[in-house]
């Protein structure tokens, strides 16, 4: 069972998070800290206690915007420890997800926190720590991809996605109505959606062939027009793309 530390400077948010954590059967204990400095002192005691000690902490559920030392600063400090606890960011801000991944976060949960979404973060932490039971995984819906926006999970139709932009181990999905950040690397989406007409045109971009309006050649450079956006095509992908577009019905 996981031993958790929740860190949030807003008392109501902290109490709600602790309530949800304590209700999860995979959480053996959960305690709170009102700021990153207090949390760092508590984590130091945990590290001195050792992994099996009475003060040990397995996972930290960490807010980002806090006075003084913020959540990202604390996570950076933890990367310097020999055996740091796992980190799950719990925040109202979507914009820091890529930085969170760079800091090896287990998950990135948006506020307001839903019980089901937090349970998924706990599951990931349990798997990473080796305490999770093996549960059969159901195949995802091939026609839709779940995205989280403002604490609500929505399902975006794959056919509505015009192109995908790499953001580290995340990807930003672009549609005519907006964009969504998901925690899936571009290489995984390339493999998953190859049969649906998505093609890699650059190390940073995956494009749906059906949404390409123009192929442009200018002074040796190749680009494509996807909606109102012009995307560069790398030399290594240019010939394959031209062949695919020529064979496109």
């Amino acid at each position: 069972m996981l031993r958790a530390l929740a860190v949030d400077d807003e008392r109501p948010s902290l109490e709600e998070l602790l309530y949800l954590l304590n209700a999860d059967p995979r959480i053996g204990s959960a305690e709170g800290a009102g700021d990153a400095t207090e949390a760092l002192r508590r984590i130091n005691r945990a590290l001195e206690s050792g992994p099996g000690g009475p003060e040990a902490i397995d996972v930290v559920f960490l807010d980002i915007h806090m006075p003084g030392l913020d959540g990202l600063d604390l996570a950076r400090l933890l990367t310097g420890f020999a055996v740091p606890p796992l980190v799950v960011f719990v925040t109202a801000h979507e914009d820091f997800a890529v930085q969170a991944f760079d800091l090896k976060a287990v998950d990135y949960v948006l506020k307001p926190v839903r019980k089901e979404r937090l349970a998924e973060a706990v599951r990931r932490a349990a798997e990473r720590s080796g305490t999770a039971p093996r549960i059969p995984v159901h195949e995802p819906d091939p026609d839709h991809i779940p995205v989280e926006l403002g604490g609500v999970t929505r399902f975006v139709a794959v056919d509505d996605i015009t192109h995908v932009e790499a953001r580290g181990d995340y990807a930003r999905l672009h549609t005519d109505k907006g964009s969504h950040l998901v925690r899936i690397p571009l290489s995984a989406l390339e493999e998953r959606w190859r049969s649906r007409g998505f093609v890699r045109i650059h190390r940073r971009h995956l494009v749906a062939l059906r949404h390409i309006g123009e192929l442009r050649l200018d002074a040796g450079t190749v680009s494509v027009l996807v909606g109102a956006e012009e995307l560069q095509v790398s030399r290594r992908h240019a010939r394959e793309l031209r062949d695919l577009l020529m064979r496109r019905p």
Side-chain angles (χ1 to χ4, degrees):
M1 298 179 72
L2 293 171
R3 295 155 294 188
L5 175 66
V7 188
D8 199 314
D9 65 306
E10 297 180 356
R11 192 69 193 177
S13 296
L14 180 60
E15 290 177 351
E16 175 69 12
L17 182 55
L18 287 171
Y19 173 79
L20 293 173
L21 288 172
N22 282 311
D24 194 304
R26 293 162 295 194
I27 300 293
S29 63
E31 56 185 292
D35 57 52
T37 302
E38 180 186 350
L40 187 57
R41 287 195 294 266
R42 178 63 186 86
I43 293 167
N44 274 320
R45 294 204 308 271
L47 295 174
E48 291 171 0
S49 175
E55 300 279 348
I57 294 173
D58 301 305
V59 56
V60 180
F61 291 83
L62 184 58
D63 189 21
I64 288 182
H65 280 302
M66 293 182 287
L69 193 70
D70 69 19
L72 292 171
D73 292 331
L74 177 57
R76 291 188 188 98
L77 289 174
L78 293 181
T79 61
F81 287 63
V83 188
L86 301 172
V87 172
V88 173
F89 283 101
V90 183
T91 177
H93 304 275
E94 176 187 348
D95 299 340
F96 300 98
V98 174
Q99 295 178 57
F101 166 75
D102 290 339
L103 292 169
K104 311 301 181 186
V106 172
D107 207 345
Y108 193 89
V109 180
L110 291 176
K111 295 178 181 179
V113 179
R114 294 179 297 109
K115 179 181 179 181
E116 297 80 6
R117 183 63 184 86
L118 185 64
E120 171 63 15
V122 172
R123 182 192 67 78
R124 292 178 179 179
E127 284 186 349
R128 183 80 67 87
S129 68
T131 65
R134 292 190 175 273
I135 301 174
V137 177
H138 298 286
E139 288 296 319
D141 177 1
D143 295 324
H144 296 83
I145 182 168
V147 301
E148 189 166 310
L149 182 63
V152 177
T153 299
R154 295 191 173 99
F155 293 88
V156 175
V158 175
D159 287 346
D160 291 340
I161 297 170
T162 59
H163 62 286
V164 187
E165 180 184 0
R167 292 290 187 91
D169 213 31
Y170 286 75
R172 184 167 288 280
L173 312 177
H174 293 266
T175 71
D176 290 338
K177 297 180 180 179
S179 66
H180 309 277
L181 194 67
V182 294
R183 188 175 180 172
I184 306 175
L186 192 68
S187 57
L189 292 177
E190 179 184 12
E191 179 67 25
R192 183 187 300 182
W193 291 344
R194 181 178 291 115
S195 62
R196 302 184 69 102
F198 282 81
V199 59
R200 191 73 164 259
I201 65 166
H202 190 275
R203 63 182 179 83
R204 291 188 55 206
H205 289 112
L206 185 69
V207 173
L209 286 173
R210 60 186 168 277
H211 288 291
I212 295 177
E214 294 180 7
L215 178 68
R216 297 178 173 179
L217 305 176
D218 182 19
T221 64
V222 182
S223 62
V224 291
L225 191 66
V226 181
E229 190 167 357
E230 185 173 359
L231 303 174
Q232 184 180 356
V233 180
S234 67
R235 289 185 178 182
R236 62 175 294 195
H237 294 105
R239 176 172 294 181
E240 178 189 6
L241 178 63
R242 284 197 299 266
D243 290 345
L244 288 170
L245 290 174
M246 290 295 293
R247 296 199 303 267
R248 185 175 64 173

